[in-house]
């Protein structure tokens, strides 16, 4: 995925791969260090300003309002997620029928009941795609090397390239899906690395370029391979949608958890702290500056959590906007 997007490993790690709690923690530390550095660099010092006026009360009274407003927004996000799960009996029955229809298609493709585990479900589709690609390659090779003239040679080369692409890509993704647990993002992250859309487009080009050279059996095998790749697309989108809902629920809970200590920190700063509460200096930095900076970073923790989770969700949404062989980025392929 990183190679197709032509982006740095650090950027991909920050946006999608890193643990969201770690990202939120790093943002909080950065806010603290930046606050202390700026406050210590300007004159008069923050301690002098606290003695002359009351910037602490102004700052943290505003933060209390922001935290309460943010917590209310979290409840709205939670309601949005729950709304998608609610509906009349007929709608719920239709959802069930559609789900079972897809599972039947996967079972027919793989020759076994579709797994219930999301990682195993995607793995089964990828395994079927690899099997179809190998069968297609063997069918073309069984005619004999160069049989059919230049057209046969070109067809064999294209099929070899397609099979190698499918098998190698699927093998790498299946290795990462093995043991992956849904909810930890590992399943979705691994699935993103299978660029099914490019493979579907190559199948379409092979059918168009080698129509006369293909046998009926080979067309059927190409159709089976295309069907397996087409099944992977909605399966991945379904798993991604479930992850979005899972992540938004986790985000709502974490923000509500973080809002309580953030409110306590803001209330403490408003009610207790003044210029004389934390006298003295450490390494030339007033203690009151360190305390105010730490409290400010703590009150921003709910917002840091929001930024960390939304960065991942928006990045995933942007990278999977198109379903099917549509290229939305000049530097790589969609899907």
């Amino acid at each position: 995925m990183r190679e197709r997007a032509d982006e740095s490993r650090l950027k991909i790690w920050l946006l999608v791969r890193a643990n969201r709690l770690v990202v939120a923690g790093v943002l909080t530390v950065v806010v603290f260090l930046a606050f202390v550095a700026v406050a210590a660099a300007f004159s008069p010092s923050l301690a002098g300003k606290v003695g002359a006026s009351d910037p602490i009360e102004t700052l943290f009274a505003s933060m209390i309002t922001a935290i309460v407003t943010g917590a209310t927004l979290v409840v709205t996000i939670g309601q949005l997620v729950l709304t998608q799960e609610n509906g009349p009996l007929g709608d719920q029955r239709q959802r069930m029928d559609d789900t079972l229809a897809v599972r039947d298609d996967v079972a027919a493709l793989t020759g076994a009941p579709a797994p219930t585990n999301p990682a195993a479900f995607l793995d089964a589709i990828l395994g079927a795609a690899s099997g179809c690609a190998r069968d297609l390659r063997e069918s073309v090779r069984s005619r004999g090397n160069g049989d059919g003239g230049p057209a046969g040679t070109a067809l064999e080369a294209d099929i070899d390239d397609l099979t190698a692409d499918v098998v190698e890509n699927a093998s790498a993704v299946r290795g990462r899906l093995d043991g992956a647990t849904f909810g930890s993002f590992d399943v979705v992250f691994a699935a993103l690395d299978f660029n099914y859309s490019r493979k579907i487009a190559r199948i379409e080009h092979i059918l168009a370029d080698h129509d006369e050279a293909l046998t009926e059996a080979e067309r059927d095998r190409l159709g089976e391979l295309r069907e397996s790749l087409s099944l992977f697309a909605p399966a991945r989108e379904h798993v991604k949608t479930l992850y979005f809902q899972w992540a938004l629920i986790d985000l709502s809970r974490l923000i509500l958890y973080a809002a309580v200590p953030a409110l306590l920190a803001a209330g403490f700063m408003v009610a207790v702290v003044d210029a004389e509460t934390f006298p003295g200096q450490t390494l030339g930095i007033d203690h009151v500056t360190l305390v105010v900076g730490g409290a400010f970073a703590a009150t921003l923790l709910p917002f840091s959590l929001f930024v960390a989770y939304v960065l991942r969700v928006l990045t995933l949404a942007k990278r999977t906007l198109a379903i099917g062989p549509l290229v939305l980025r000049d530097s790589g392929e969609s899907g």
Side-chain angles (χ1 to χ4, degrees):
M1 181 183 70
R2 180 181 62 82
E3 294 173 353
R4 296 200 308 271
D6 193 25
E7 293 174 342
S8 69
R9 187 180 300 274
L10 177 61
K11 182 178 179 180
I12 292 296
W13 179 85
L14 177 64
L15 291 178
V16 295
R17 191 69 183 98
N19 184 291
R20 296 299 93 183
L21 296 181
V22 172
V23 174
V26 170
L27 287 174
T28 302
V29 172
V30 169
V31 168
F32 168 73
L33 295 176
F35 183 95
V36 171
V38 172
F42 283 85
S43 180
S45 65
L46 178 60
K49 293 179 181 178
V50 171
S53 59
D54 200 359
I56 293 179
E57 181 177 356
T58 302
L59 173 62
F60 287 97
S62 301
M63 293 302 299
I64 291 174
T65 303
I67 293 169
V68 173
T69 304
T72 305
L73 176 62
V74 165
V75 174
T76 303
I77 294 175
Q79 289 176 339
L80 177 63
V81 174
L82 293 177
T83 298
Q84 300 179 18
E85 300 301 316
N86 297 330
L89 180 60
D91 291 348
Q92 300 297 338
R93 176 61 185 271
Q94 185 62 49
R95 289 178 61 192
M96 187 65 175
D97 289 344
D98 292 343
T99 299
L100 292 178
V102 174
R103 291 181 59 81
D104 289 341
D105 290 341
V106 174
L109 183 68
T110 61
T116 56
N117 180 275
F121 185 70
L122 295 175
D123 179 82
I125 298 175
L126 292 176
S130 295
C132 290
R134 291 191 182 98
D135 291 343
L136 174 64
R137 181 173 59 187
E138 292 304 316
S139 176
V140 173
R141 286 180 174 178
S142 64
R143 300 192 205 176
N145 294 330
D147 214 18
T153 302
L155 172 62
E156 185 173 340
D158 286 346
I159 294 298
D160 284 345
D161 290 343
L162 173 64
T163 301
D165 185 22
V166 172
V167 172
E168 291 174 7
N169 196 185
S171 177
V173 174
R174 295 181 72 188
R176 294 171 56 190
L177 286 172
D178 185 24
T181 303
F182 183 79
S184 65
F185 184 65
D186 290 340
V187 176
V188 179
F189 189 66
L192 286 176
D193 276 343
F194 189 74
N195 56 335
Y196 66 86
S197 61
R198 179 173 180 268
K199 297 169 178 55
I200 293 176
R202 291 184 69 175
I203 291 173
E204 293 173 348
H205 283 294
I206 289 174
L207 289 170
D209 296 341
H210 305 287
D211 181 62
E212 296 182 358
L214 288 166
T215 66
E216 193 63 31
E218 289 163 357
R219 289 192 185 92
D220 291 340
R221 288 189 172 91
L222 274 171
E224 292 175 0
L225 176 58
R226 189 174 186 274
E227 175 67 16
S228 64
L229 297 174
S230 299
L231 275 175
F232 182 83
R236 190 187 74 174
E237 291 302 301
H238 179 59
V239 172
K240 183 193 73 174
T241 300
L242 291 176
Y243 173 77
F244 280 176
Q245 295 176 336
W246 185 292
L248 289 175
I249 290 172
D250 281 348
L251 172 61
S252 300
R253 292 171 55 192
L254 289 171
I255 288 181
L256 290 175
Y257 293 156
V260 175
L263 281 173
L264 290 175
F268 171 78
M269 297 302 294
V270 171
V272 176
V273 177
D274 58 23
E276 304 300 327
T277 306
F278 297 99
Q281 292 183 335
T282 297
L283 299 178
I285 301 176
D286 295 323
H287 290 164
V288 68
T289 300
L290 296 173
V291 172
V292 172
F296 180 67
T299 57
L300 281 180
L301 181 57
F303 179 73
S304 298
L305 289 167
F306 180 79
V307 170
Y309 273 82
V310 170
L311 274 177
R312 173 184 281 176
V313 170
L314 293 180
T315 301
L316 289 181
K318 182 179 180 180
R319 292 196 58 82
T320 55
L321 281 176
I323 183 170
L326 292 176
V327 178
L328 303 183
R329 299 179 300 274
D330 292 337
S331 56
E333 284 78 11
S334 173

